[in-house]
Amino acid sequence: MDGVGTSVVGRPRHLHPHLGRAVLDPIEGAGPIGYPEAIEGTRLLQAARRVAGLTQTELAEGAGTSQATLSTYERGVKSPALEVAERILHATGLELSLRAHIDFTQRAMPGVEAFWVPNMLWNVGPPTCFVILHVPDMVNHTSQTDWDLSDRTDRARAYEILIRWGLPHSMLRWLDGALLVDLWDELDLPDEIRVSWTPAIVRATPTKTVDIFDLGFTRGLGPDGTETAQIRGYEPLPPTVSPTDSPTEPPSHAKRRVDPVNGHPWG
């Protein structure tokens, strides 16, 4: 279960000269920003209480428990049942929620620069998915640097850039899964990248007709946990072996797990 933290959205960088809308920089506007790592279970209630600005006595009274009992929970002496923890968090104005964790694998093929592939898609949602995104031209792909994600053509080009050259955190922040599925057949991508991303696209695309009253249908995209998705792990490509290194053939890939960290630089 992931920790609870306060968050702020990316701040506007400047106004588009024609549309007068906020332009966000993927480096300085990268959010949401909160706790840089998951909060330990013993600290969850304490963190929630401090976010709410409550004393132990105030929170205990609001949650229908004693200050002494709450103290044992915060210090890790005792662990509350899920129902009790939920009641205490509710008294702080916060709640437990599900958060999707996404795995990214880095791949490289002949004639294609290394790129990242997710195991599933996610939901960004408005208004973030419709901002004007300022993309520094670090790969000499085009002279255009501002992409209006509310414009279908601009959004397609921006998604192509993110998929081909973006790092996982940049994609997670700006690339909306539902809008990607809608654009997928129109994107100009190398065949190798398209094939690699296809499983995630297929997973996010319903294969049956759903009745309007079917409340049991589970959506593949948010808001079921994917709007606040975090990256669970990476599988980076192995380092290039230099002629002076051992001639042993390197593995096809090296798997490495890392804790999700916000603010990954644009790449």
Side-chain angles (χ1 to χ4, degrees):
M1 212 171 287
D2 292 300
V4 176
T6 56
S7 61
V8 295
V9 298
R11 60 182 182 276
R13 290 285 294 154
H14 55 278
L15 294 179
H16 192 281
H18 302 299
L19 301 180
R21 293 165 50 208
V23 179
L24 298 183
D25 187 297
I27 296 177
E28 298 191 25
I33 301 168
Y35 290 97
E37 57 187 16
I39 299 176
E40 296 178 3
T42 56
R43 296 178 53 211
L44 178 61
L45 297 180
Q46 182 184 63
R49 177 174 61 80
R50 290 181 175 176
V51 167
L54 300 173
T55 65
Q56 284 187 347
T57 300
E58 291 170 336
L59 178 55
E61 182 179 348
T65 188
S66 68
Q67 183 274 330
T69 299
L70 180 59
S71 177
T72 62
Y73 294 156
E74 290 192 1
R75 290 182 288 113
V77 177
K78 293 174 59 178
S79 295
L82 181 59
E83 181 181 353
V84 175
E86 200 167 28
R87 186 177 74 244
I88 295 173
L89 288 173
H90 180 74
T92 68
L94 302 173
E95 64 180 13
L96 292 173
S97 62
L98 298 178
R99 170 179 290 166
H101 280 178
I102 299 172
D103 292 318
F104 279 82
T105 302
Q106 191 179 33
R107 299 183 183 177
M109 300 178 183
V112 180
E113 294 182 39
F115 58 94
W116 289 95
V117 181
N119 66 320
M120 63 180 291
L121 299 185
W122 54 91
N123 188 323
V124 174
T128 303
C129 64
F130 295 128
V131 300
I132 299 175
L133 190 63
H134 177 72
V135 181
D137 186 13
M138 296 180 178
V139 291
N140 296 318
H141 57 273
T142 176
S143 59
Q144 184 172 342
T145 57
D146 288 352
W147 303 88
D148 183 357
L149 298 187
S150 68
D151 177 83
R152 187 179 184 86
T153 300
D154 268 17
R155 182 166 64 250
R157 302 292 82 79
Y159 279 15
E160 290 166 1
I161 294 169
L162 286 167
I163 291 172
R164 296 190 64 175
W165 296 289
L167 291 177
H169 280 79
S170 295
M171 287 189 273
L172 192 69
R173 178 57 174 156
W174 306 112
L175 195 154
D176 179 78
L179 294 176
L180 174 62
V181 170
D182 180 56
L183 285 171
W184 184 246
D185 292 337
E186 304 171 26
L187 299 185
D188 182 13
L189 296 170
D191 290 341
E192 296 83 356
I193 295 180
R194 184 172 291 279
V195 168
S196 297
W197 275 70
T198 293
I201 297 293
V202 171
R203 179 178 176 180
T205 306
T207 57
K208 69 171 186 176
T209 301
V210 181
D211 189 276
I212 191 172
F213 299 110
D214 183 1
L215 302 180
F217 176 69
T218 301
R219 289 166 290 180
L221 296 175
D224 303 316
T226 60
E227 286 191 336
T228 56
Q230 287 186 334
I231 298 169
R232 177 169 60 182
Y234 303 94
E235 290 186 25
L237 290 171
T240 303
V241 179
S242 66
T244 59
D245 292 333
S246 169
T248 303
E249 186 71 19
S252 58
H253 67 267
K255 190 170 183 178
R256 175 170 60 94
R257 291 288 188 194
V258 298
D259 290 329
V261 177
N262 290 321
H264 213 294
W266 171 264

